[in-house]
Structures are given as structure tokens and as C-alpha cells.
Amino acid sequence: GNGNDKEEQEEEKRKYSATNKRRTMATIDTSTEREEVKEGKEEKAAYYVLVGGEAHETQGVIPEKRELMHTSLTYVAAAYAQLRGAGVPRSRIITIVQVRDYLEGLKDGQYPKVMYEKECALLLKEGGSDYDFDAVCPSTVWRVVLGLKNENYPKVVPKGKDKVKSLTLAIYSHGDSHPAVKIIKHQHQHQHQEKKEADNAAAAAATAATDILP
């Protein structure tokens, strides 16, 4: 009697152990499968477009001839630093601001260049502005926001509702105006193409705005 009872108990233990092992393996397999699906699926993400600029007619000349100090530059740099500090990857922050354009017109080691270099330290360390000099214009903003990517505009907000969770467009400005498109001297054909593409971008924007209105 006792021998049979012991054998039965051992058999029950083996059955329980085997069943529990199968359950454990099933849980591991299911967990792994869920993880693989999660990794394979591209999650929606928040994107940030930071814009700041100066009047074209005062762009690129010596500081004394510029109408106002480039106050928008420090705000863009501060916003960029805050986003990076919050964990937003650089790939999801697009900057359209005259960083190099402005700094190259200032004297080394003197105010205000030292101040701007300090304020823009992180932005400069991580490659500077995505769009600088005369690429800072309305046409660039349209292209970036609408996802019109090409070799001249490589970094844009991705197209598709399945890729973008939200879009923050922050424009820092003290006024003035810019030409609608990037000006390229002695390249009239290219300039005409830029204007044509800008018009197409504006038309696409109007259509998109109409689509989302109630």
C-alpha cells in the first residue's frame, strides 16, 4: 500500500511539473510573440518643427546693419534644448533657423557671438540647424510640415496618420518678412522650379486644410 501511494505521489508530481512547465513555456512564447509584434510595428510619434528667422534684406550683412538682434535664435535653441532634455530624439525635432548664417557674421570672442554660442551650445554640438541661411523661408516650412521630401529637403515630417501622433509647429519671430522661396543667384531655371514647387506645396496645404475642416 505505502509503496503504491509513494509511486502515485511521484507520478502526480511529474504530471504537475510537466503541466506547469508547458504553461510556463506557453507564457514565454506568448510574451515573446507580443514583444516581436511590438518591435515590428512602427509606433506613432510626436514631431516638433522649430522656426526662427530674420528679414532677408538684412540677412548675411555685418551685425551693425541688421535691423534687430536675432532674438528668435535663442528661443529656438532653448526650445531645442528643453525637448532634448525631455528625451525627444533629434530625429523628431526639425529646426529651421539661421544659426551659422548669423554666427558667421559676428566677431569671435566678442558680444553677442559669445552669448549666442552659449545659448545655442547643444544645438551647435548636435549639428546645428537642419535648414540654415536662405533655406530659412516659408517654402521650407511648407515642405517640412507637408512631408515633401527630396534631396534639398531631406528632413521633413513623415507622411501618414499612422506615423505622426502629433505635430508642434513653433514659430519665433520679431516680425519682418522673407522671400517665399530660397533665392539662388544665377540659377533662374532652378529658382523657377523652386517657385513652382512652392506653389504646389501651398495648394496641397490648402487641400489638406479643407479636408480636416468639419
Side-chain angles (χ1 to χ4, degrees), residues 76-135:
V76 170
Y80 179 85
Q82 287 184 349
L83 289 170
R84 295 290 287 122
V88 179
R90 178 173 170 80
S91 61
R92 292 199 276 110
I93 308 171
I94 304 175
T95 50
I96 306 173
V97 61
Q98 294 150 317
V99 182
R100 293 294 179 189
D101 170 66
Y102 198 68
L103 292 179
E104 288 180 7
L106 302 175
K107 294 180 180 180
D108 292 336
Q110 295 186 12
Y111 181 87
K113 187 169 185 176
V114 289
M115 182 270 290
Y116 281 115
E117 288 176 332
K118 180 180 178 181
E119 295 288 338
C120 303
L122 181 60
L123 181 59
L124 290 168
K125 180 182 178 182
E126 297 188 343
S129 181
D130 295 305
Y131 298 96
D132 206 326
F133 296 92
D134 56 357

Side-chain angles (χ1 to χ4, degrees), residues 188-199:
H188 301 295
Q189 184 176 358
H190 185 80
Q191 185 176 335
H192 175 73
Q193 181 65 23
E194 284 274 326
K195 185 178 185 305
K196 182 179 178 181
E197 291 178 359
D199 291 341

Side-chain angles (χ1 to χ4, degrees), residues 62-84:
I62 59 175
E64 291 77 7
K65 291 187 177 180
R66 298 195 178 210
E67 292 177 354
L68 293 169
M69 290 181 65
H70 198 345
T71 54
S72 57
L73 177 54
T74 57
Y75 285 103
V76 170
Y80 179 85
Q82 287 184 349
L83 289 170
R84 295 290 287 122

Side-chain angles (χ1 to χ4, degrees), residues 3 11 23 32 35 39 47-48 52 86 89 117 119 130 171 177 188 200 204 212:
E11 182 64 23
R23 287 176 179 170
T32 304
E35 189 65 29
E39 288 180 358
Y47 285 82
Y48 303 84
E117 288 176 332
E119 295 288 338
D130 295 305
I171 300 177
S177 61
H188 301 295
N200 291 338
I212 63 174

Side-chain angles (χ1 to χ4, degrees), residues 180-192:
V181 298
K182 181 177 178 179
I183 302 299
I184 302 177
K185 295 180 180 179
H186 309 302
Q187 295 186 21
H188 301 295
Q189 184 176 358
H190 185 80
Q191 185 176 335
H192 175 73

